[in-house]
Amino acid sequence: MSEAERGTTEDKVAELREALREVIDPELGYNVVDLGLIYGIRVEDGRAEIVMTMTTPGCPAAAYIEEGVRQRALAVDGIRDVDVAVVWMPPWSPDMMSDEAKRHFGFA
Amino acid sequence: MFRTGVARWTMTYFGAAFVSFAVAQALIALGLAYPSAPLFAPWTFVAVHLITIGWLTVLILGALRQFVPVITATQPEGDAVAGWALVAIDIGLLAMVAGFVALGGNVPWAASPWLPLGGALVIAGVVADTVIIARPIWRTRPLPLPARFVAAALAFLWVTVLLGLCLALAVARPGTLPPDRVARLLVDGLPLHLLAGIGGWFTLTAMGVGYKLLAMFTLAPEHRGALGDWSFRLSAGGLALAAVAGCVTIAAPAGGAAGPAVLVLERAGWLAAAVGVALYLVDMRKLYAERRRRELELNGRFAAWALVALGAGLALLVAAALAGQGTGWAGPLGYVFLFGWLSGLSLSQLYKIVPFLTWLERFGSKLGKGPVPRVQDLVDEPRARPWFVLYFAAVGVGAATGFAGLDGAWRACSVLSLAASLAIGRELWRIRHSPPPPAAPSVPRG
């Protein structure tokens, strides 16, 4: 991959990450990116692979959040296909939140 | 991959439960049931069973339909069974009410067919529900701590309903059993029925649910360590020991006594259970202290009030045992556990669970396609908060007047707790039926 292509891909990952800030965990009322639920994003040839988790296994909102992430990612310009993988390792903890989210919940 | 959905019927269970809660409190407020009537009066039986079966059992079964998949990371199952189970439980409860009313006379029907028939229908519904709730628990062994509490509680539920059926038969058809056996059932079986129901079924479930939900909602660590393990072992094990000893006492040969060893076992069971609940309270205090969400939402704040009621009930229970006031304080003590601890916790958690499930139904499929409100946008905490304060204050003062023997004041407090409950019910109704709130301009973006 050339430097120019790498730069374009990193820009697209950043764009996706920003877009996913519009998807919330409904119970916590905060976006999934700053909650630390998005473990990784990879973009290649218009295909996005998103690895994420939930605050707790068995959460009834899990399917909706996963689908919400997929739908929002698909709406990003240049993304034609999205694969969302929900994983449970490492388990999520509040320490994974961004500093701003930690401040919002009162522990930073 | 674990993706739990929304359990069908859970909201219907909640609605049916709330109606029973309101009717039971109305009977108390109108002076038909205890404390205005004797503890063993027909209308008191009606109120007690509306609270224990119609309100708490139906509410908990409905909640477990949604909660067990959360703790076992499975899909809710048995939707059709759950619907029919609710029908059986509520029709059975109505039949039991008819039977209890007939015990007082002045009605053109007899108690005898209605109590066993109603009890049998309740058992049928409860068995059906517990099977569909217990199956995922059984499949996901070894169980996490909250699921262990729920599994033990389900076992106590069966003990409770079977003892209840025996008591119904003893009351409605006393000729079925020898007279001394009937007397023993009524004297020793009733406390055992209460122990299994309030201690085993309700309290163990509430303890397990509390561990999971309050950790989730307050962002506290879910793993509770040795304190949680010992809380479970002692509370569930102690109650089981006391229940077995109680059953041995009831089953002792006619005219004989169960023996001092059984009495020692029963007391050891009670002591262990009390220590287990005390450890739970210590652990919950630790959970609150360790929480990451510093500003508590309404459900977390008032769950703490319910835990205070549990602590007060436990202390008063120990004091009653030491003072030999077991029977004299039974009414106010039961009130503290049923209204302060169990109903208080239930109301506070409904204020979170109802908007959460409502959000999933109304907005879940819109997530990612545009702005959506948060769960917290569906509630109006400043409007609801005074009613929760009134509820807990009325129950607290009501219990105090009950222990002081001021039955008139206690009844007045029950009018206030009824008013507060109805207002909380109206808030829950608004959450379900109000127009959608503005789409989340308040969603923080980090």
Side-chain angles (χ1 to χ4, degrees):
Chain A
M1 186 183 288
S2 70
E3 281 298 318
E5 283 172 328
R6 189 175 298 122
T8 307
T9 302
E10 283 171 5
D11 288 348
K12 193 53 74 182
V13 168
E15 191 182 341
L16 265 172
R17 189 172 290 278
E18 187 57 28
L20 293 184
R21 282 199 163 91
E22 292 173 17
V23 181
I24 61 168
D25 176 304
E27 194 280 308
L28 291 175
Y30 214 88
N31 74 74
V32 294
V33 173
D34 287 295
L35 284 176
L37 298 180
I38 304 295
Y39 282 175
I41 301 174
R42 216 175 108 185
V43 179
E44 201 171 320
D45 297 332
R47 176 185 166 79
E49 290 176 12
I50 299 169
V51 179
M52 67 176 299
T53 191
M54 302 289 163
T55 55
T56 185
C59 170
Y64 297 105
I65 296 172
E66 181 187 340
E67 185 57 23
V69 164
R70 186 192 324 280
Q71 291 297 329
R72 186 61 192 92
L74 274 173
V76 171
D77 195 32
I79 300 296
R80 294 185 301 277
D81 189 19
V82 177
D83 180 50
V84 181
V86 178
V87 299
W88 303 103
M89 289 303 289
W92 178 83
S93 93
D95 294 323
M96 295 175 174
M97 291 183 190
S98 70
D99 289 343
E100 191 149 351
K102 285 176 182 170
R103 274 194 293 278
H104 175 80
F105 290 102
F107 67 98
Chain B
M1 179 177 297
F2 312 126
R3 275 179 287 191
T4 300
V6 178
R8 201 176 165 206
W9 299 115
T10 288
M11 285 296 187
T12 315
Y13 272 65
F14 289 171
F18 209 92
V19 170
S20 288
F21 187 42
V23 172
Q25 288 189 89
L27 291 177
I28 297 168
L30 290 169
L32 289 169
Y34 184 84
S36 303
L39 199 52
F40 295 100
W43 281 105
T44 303
F45 286 145
V46 172
V48 166
H49 287 83
L50 282 172
I51 290 287
T52 52
I53 297 175
W55 163 234
L56 290 170
T57 294
V58 168
L59 181 85
I60 291 173
L61 287 172
L64 287 181
R65 291 261 307 126
Q66 186 65 64
F67 177 72
V68 164
V70 173
I71 53 175
T72 56
T74 55
Q75 279 286 343
E77 52 186 83
D79 278 338
V81 175
W84 286 110
L86 177 61
V87 171
I89 293 171
D90 272 347
I91 290 180
L93 180 60
L94 278 176
M96 287 177 69
V97 167
F100 286 131
V101 171
L103 289 177
N106 304 321
V107 288
W109 65 84
S112 55
W114 297 108
L115 283 176
L117 176 70
L121 274 171
V122 168
I123 288 179
V126 163
V127 167
D129 264 337
T130 50
V131 166
I132 56 175
I133 289 168
R135 269 167 47 185
I137 294 179
W138 180 257
R139 285 199 303 263
T140 48
R141 292 164 294 144
L143 299 174
L145 183 63
R148 273 184 274 156
F149 273 102
V150 173
L154 288 173
F156 275 107
L157 171 59
W158 286 38
V159 174
T160 308
V161 291
L162 288 174
L163 269 168
L165 187 64
C166 292
L167 285 166
L169 281 170
V171 170
R173 292 179 182 270
T176 316
L177 296 167
D180 63 329
R181 187 66 63 191
V182 171
R184 180 162 280 176
L185 249 180
L186 294 176
V187 172
D188 296 320
L190 190 59
L192 189 56
H193 184 54
L194 294 173
L195 161 86
I198 297 178
W201 164 226
F202 296 140
T203 294
L204 289 180
T205 308
M207 288 165 77
V209 170
Y211 262 142
K212 177 74 180 183
L213 287 190
L214 293 175
M216 270 171 59
F217 294 150
T218 63
L219 293 177
E222 286 193 14
H223 183 65
R224 304 311 311 161
L227 204 51
D229 287 337
W230 278 106
S231 166
F232 170 71
R233 286 176 195 143
L234 289 171
S235 55
L239 286 170
L241 190 61
V244 169
C247 287
V248 170
T249 303
I250 294 171
V262 175
L263 193 63
V264 169
L265 279 181
E266 188 173 355
R267 288 184 176 168
W270 276 105
L271 182 64
V275 172
V277 174
L279 287 181
Y280 175 76
L281 288 167
V282 170
D283 204 20
M284 290 308 286
R285 186 179 170 158
K286 190 163 163 260
L287 182 150
Y288 270 82
E290 290 172 347
R291 74 183 193 276
R292 294 301 186 87
R293 192 176 212 157
R294 300 317 302 175
E295 187 64 31
L296 287 173
E297 294 174 344
L298 184 147
N299 72 305
R301 202 172 303 129
F302 285 101
W305 291 35
L307 289 164
V308 169
L310 174 62
L314 183 67
L316 288 164
L317 190 64
V318 172
L322 293 175
Q325 285 285 350
T327 309
W329 288 5
L333 257 178
Y335 183 76
V336 171
F337 281 108
L338 290 173
F339 284 83
W341 158 232
L342 295 163
S343 299
L345 185 73
S346 300
L347 289 173
S348 64
Q349 295 318 295
L350 278 178
Y351 198 73
K352 184 73 183 183
I353 296 169
V354 168
F356 183 64
L357 296 180
T358 303
W359 188 97
L360 293 181
E361 289 168 4
R362 292 170 73 175
F363 304 106
S365 59
K366 297 177 182 168
L367 196 59
K369 298 173 184 169
V372 289
R374 305 168 304 167
V375 170
Q376 213 44 20
D377 292 328
L378 304 188
V379 302
D380 186 342
E381 288 199 357
R383 196 173 57 202
R385 194 174 298 123
W387 298 113
F388 278 92
V389 172
L390 177 64
Y391 177 82
F392 279 101
V395 169
V397 176
T401 55
F403 282 110
L406 304 170
D407 291 347
W410 190 1
R411 187 182 150 196
C413 288
S414 72
V415 175
L416 294 177
S417 74
L418 171 63
S421 305
L422 291 174
I424 292 167
R426 187 186 58 188
E427 291 301 311
L428 297 174
W429 177 268
R430 281 178 170 162
I431 289 167
R432 297 286 295 161
H433 299 284
S434 289
S442 54
V443 172
R445 287 175 53 83

